[in-house]
Amino acid sequence: MPRATITQVAALAGVSIASASRALNGQIASAETVAKVRRAAEELGYVADAAARSLKLGRTQQLAYAVADIGNPVYVEMMSAVERVVSDSGYRLVISSTGTASSSLDVVRDLGRGYVDGMILSPLRVTPELLQALADVPVPVVMLGVASEGSGLDTVQADSVTGMRLAVDHLIAEGRRSIAFINGPVDTTPGRLRLRGFEEAMRDNPGIGSRTVIADDFTIAAGHRAALEALGDSEGFQPDAVVAANDLIGIGVLHAADDLGLSVPDDLAVTGMDNTELSRVARLGLTSVDLGAHERGRVAADLLLARIAEPGRAAHTVTVAPSLVVRGSSRRGQASLRIVEEEDAV
């Protein structure tokens, strides 16, 4: 069946083609005309030609959201916040996965094809090649993460260093004296900053024993493998607490503790980071540092829309403050198979 045309919509609505086009494209038209045209379009099953509309308006009405792992709950939460903001402004969100540095570079270089009007990018690794490509892109880009000084990019970042201190201080306040840190790859932005936060916290608490184990990824499986190593009494160090670099690793630590017959939290306290949905459904409730994923997504979307509207505006950097959400995995006497209620963030 042939697709309905704008000419047919205009004829059925009893208006000119120009009036029908204005009504459908959100341009100036009377409320009566808009109502008639929309009724006619719905009756005919009219679908606008996106390519033709993009050429006419000089924009695609699409924005890209590119992240390292679209299956990671923290990225999903940010995506939800981004989508809500941009859809309210008439944009459609296009999702890309950039698991490697080369993938991030390819996604940024593809912006020259003009398939989106802007991008929110959250790369795990920021390389000189990526920064150069970002400097040359023809559309606005907002960075979720850390960009180099003077990059000229709007940037929204978490405060992982302070977040790590919150987790360590909580564990020490709970009486823990041997803390293992299970990090992801340290050549990534989160791995580097979370290691820095842990090391600073340990320097401020010289009486606390510590050990760092590097997982090969920020995943449950990688966290499980690294936790078996960290909890295996290597070199005589037996931790009574583990700080995980994210909630996925934290869940892996809980599994490893179970494998080794350790009671959480009596034998071992565990904290995660990101405060994702996983931390809320873990059997004890996983204590986790909330890095404001939803707020970071919302702010990034607002910055991107502002940049599109005003290309020459000064670059902004926004840092979202962390908070600690305490659950059953880190308080003695809380061992249970039920999900504990969250306490107020501290």
Side-chain angles (χ1 to χ4, degrees), residues 200-213:
E200 288 182 3
M202 288 298 99
R203 283 197 297 270
D204 290 343
N205 294 278
I208 304 299
S210 66
R211 183 187 179 204
T212 296
V213 174

Side-chain angles (χ1 to χ4, degrees), residues 184-209:
V186 292
D187 64 337
T188 64
T189 298
R192 174 173 54 85
L193 293 176
R194 292 170 199 190
L195 177 60
R196 176 183 149 196
F198 182 75
E199 290 179 340
E200 288 182 3
M202 288 298 99
R203 283 197 297 270
D204 290 343
N205 294 278
I208 304 299

Side-chain angles (χ1 to χ4, degrees), residues 142-147 153-159 291-292 295-304 313-321:
V142 173
M143 180 80 85
L144 270 169
V146 179
L153 293 171
D154 291 308
T155 304
V156 183
Q157 55 194 25
D159 188 351
L291 294 176
E295 179 67 3
R296 281 184 283 151
R298 184 194 66 77
V299 172
D302 283 342
L303 286 176
L304 183 57
R313 71 197 296 267
H316 289 67
T317 296
V318 178
T319 301
V320 176

Side-chain angles (χ1 to χ4, degrees), residues 28-111:
I28 297 175
S30 70
E32 181 183 359
T33 297
V34 171
K36 289 193 297 185
V37 170
R38 286 181 176 173
R39 281 197 300 269
E42 184 175 353
E43 183 177 336
L44 292 170
Y46 172 76
V47 178
D49 186 327
R53 184 181 181 191
S54 295
L55 287 172
K56 182 176 181 180
L57 298 178
R59 59 182 186 272
T60 67
Q61 291 302 114
Q62 293 191 145
L63 300 174
Y65 173 74
V67 297
D69 179 6
I70 58 176
N72 188 321
V74 71
Y75 293 129
V76 174
E77 187 170 346
M78 285 192 285
M79 178 183 67
S80 176
V82 170
E83 197 278 332
R84 182 173 301 177
V85 172
V86 302
S87 64
D88 286 346
S89 296
Y91 285 93
R92 178 176 297 164
L93 198 61
V94 178
I95 312 300
S96 297
S97 180
T98 61
T100 65
S102 60
S103 295
S104 296
L105 194 58
D106 290 341
V107 166
V108 170
R109 286 172 173 167
D110 280 348
L111 290 175

